[in-house]
Amino acid sequence: FASNDTSSAISGSVNVPGTTVVATHVPTGSKKTVVANDTGNFNLSGLRPGGPYVITASAAGFNSETISGKMAIGLMTVWMTL
C-alpha cells in the first residue's frame, strides 16, 4: 500500500446476482452503492481509506446481510450470503 494512495476498495461476492451492496463509512456517513453482476461479484472502489465501514447487501425477496466494523486499507475482499 503506497503512501500516496488516497482510496481503497472492497470487493466480494454474494450468492444472489443483482444484489445491491452498500458500504457506509461510519465516521462520515458517506455511502457507496453498487449492484452485483450476473455472477454475484461486486467492487466498491474509490472508498475513503480506513473506516470502519458497514457493508449491507440486499435483494428483493431475501433477508439483508450486514457486516460491521470493516476497515478499508488497500483492497479488501468479503463474501456475503443472503
Side-chain angles (χ1 to χ4, degrees):
F1 188 73
S3 62
N4 61 350
D5 287 345
T6 58
S7 67
S8 295
I10 298 172
S11 64
S13 180
V14 292
N15 61 324
V16 179
T19 293
T20 299
V21 182
V22 180
T24 303
H25 185 251
V26 174
T28 64
S30 63
K31 296 181 181 197
K32 174 83 174 204
T33 303
V34 297
V35 175
N37 66 19
D38 60 352
T39 59
N41 295 318
F42 64 87
N43 183 31
L44 292 150
S45 60
L47 299 176
R48 181 184 309 241
Y53 280 89
V54 173
I55 305 161
T56 303
S58 59
F62 294 87
N63 291 327
S64 295
E65 167 106 8
T66 299
I67 298 174
S68 299
K70 294 296 180 184
M71 303 299 282
I73 301 173
L75 176 62
M76 179 177 67
T77 303
V78 297
W79 289 268
M80 303 175 82
T81 302
L82 295 180

